Amino acid sequence: MVLVDGVALLHPQDAVFDAMLEGWARQQRGGRHLQPKTISDRQAIVRRFLEITNGYPWTWTAAHLDEWMADLVSTEAFAASTIRNYQTAIRLFCDYITSPYYEWPDVCETRFGTHPVQICHEWNTLAHLADYEGGPNRRPMTREECQALFDHADERVDRAIRLGRKGALAAYRDATVFKTIYGWGLRCQEVSRLDMTDFYKNPKAPELGRFGSLHVRWGKRSKGSPPRRRMVLSVMPWAVESLEDYVVNLRPRYRASATAPVWLTERGGRLQPREIEDRFAEYRDELGMDKDLTPHGLRHSYVTHLIEDGADPKFVQDQVGHRFASTTAIYTGVSGDFMNTMMRKVLDRALTSAQ
């Protein structure tokens, strides 16, 4: 129990509610090893629900949740995934305060003459039925869009050098970052956290030198687990050439050690995902591309283009670190030319067998 026995509370309702939130945070932090931001975001949702209902958890009913959800859908037009996150936070909090193991029902009965109940049920919450719930406007970048982005990034470097402006080094770094995201199918967080010690030789590809494989140590977390690790094999020699040129010729100008982060700022710090996203958005807007395109689209493109080029789907799944093939399939948006080629092969096979 978070509350101290035998102590009179000046504002018992507020004190009990705050103690509930603190105990819930301890449960998530200690038992489930969730990240502090995940916990604080969930607490913020519960506090917001408290303000909306103008009542404490031991007075909440399913009707309160229905009213709030209707308001979120009608006035704020939240996506289904956002609505589900809100509902999940409320459901988990109610699971905690209604569990007899944490004694909150007894505390509420003693102090307020009532007890909390679970207000999130199957019949008033959204079910997770689809593998992907992102907006339909999110898509892989086409080969032409990828090439246009890389060319534009290179032109920014040439322009800075030609005009004698500061920022040529940072522009070259960012151009190489985009090529690395695409060349190895990385997330922004993964590429940001790369260190020089994460590159290894691959005896099956000696021509790639020290960049034959890449050890991703900061993969996506899942359900409180530590970052997932994976080894990504280098399959795009031009991307290896671009990265090697940066490491050999440009990176030493940051006066970095041999084991420091691959991508450094002018002040010697690690380049952060937000900085990568901001530079991508700047180039995207200058090129007049879709506003919905993000650096993650380069990862989608990596999956799509490998599949189009005939790579085995299981190999691609392992490269990008997906547990399930269905997840990799979501990322795949093969082009019309590829679909037409596959259609022609199927037709030719069918016509041949019919003869």
Side-chain angles (χ1 to χ4, degrees), residues 171-225:
Y172 197 104
R173 175 203 63 200
D174 294 339
T176 312
V177 167
F178 297 143
K179 296 171 185 176
T180 302
I181 292 175
Y182 174 77
W184 281 268
L186 305 178
R187 301 178 177 91
C188 275
Q189 172 73 4
E190 294 171 349
V191 76
S192 168
R193 300 293 300 184
L194 286 179
D195 292 335
M196 290 306 302
T197 54
D198 293 329
F199 297 101
Y200 296 88
K201 294 181 179 180
N202 188 337
K204 299 298 184 180
E207 66 274 20
L208 300 181
R210 63 176 295 188
F211 300 100
S213 57
L214 169 62
H215 188 200
V216 176
R217 295 181 291 117
W218 293 87
K220 188 176 181 179
R221 296 173 179 266
S222 177
K223 297 181 179 179
S225 68

Side-chain angles (χ1 to χ4, degrees), residues 18-36:
D18 290 340
M20 285 177 167
L21 281 182
E22 175 59 27
W24 187 42
R26 294 181 185 181
Q27 178 210 46
Q28 297 176 90
R29 184 169 55 246
R32 301 190 59 196
H33 299 280
L34 297 183
Q35 294 297 296

Side-chain angles (χ1 to χ4, degrees), residues 230-252:
R230 71 180 187 277
M231 189 67 73
V232 184
L233 304 182
S234 304
V235 295
M236 299 184 182
W238 66 267
V240 172
E241 181 180 349
S242 172
L243 179 60
E244 184 175 21
D245 179 62
Y246 165 80
V247 169
V248 173
N249 299 314
L250 273 295
R251 186 176 173 278

Side-chain angles (χ1 to χ4, degrees), residues 229-233 302 312-323 328:
R229 299 185 177 215
R230 71 180 187 277
M231 189 67 73
V232 184
L233 304 182
Y302 172 85
D312 184 273
K314 181 61 170 65
F315 170 77
V316 178
Q317 177 185 343
D318 292 340
Q319 286 281 94
V320 294
H322 289 157
R323 290 184 177 180
T328 307

Side-chain angles (χ1 to χ4, degrees), residues 170 173-174 177-178 181 188 191-192 263-267 269-283 295:
R173 175 203 63 200
D174 294 339
V177 167
F178 297 143
I181 292 175
C188 275
V191 76
S192 168
W263 319 106
L264 294 162
T265 65
E266 290 79 358
R267 297 185 178 183
R270 184 186 295 273
L271 185 68
Q272 297 300 312
R274 174 56 62 185
E275 298 173 275
I276 298 172
E277 293 167 355
D278 290 344
R279 181 58 70 98
F280 179 92
E282 177 185 344
Y283 289 176

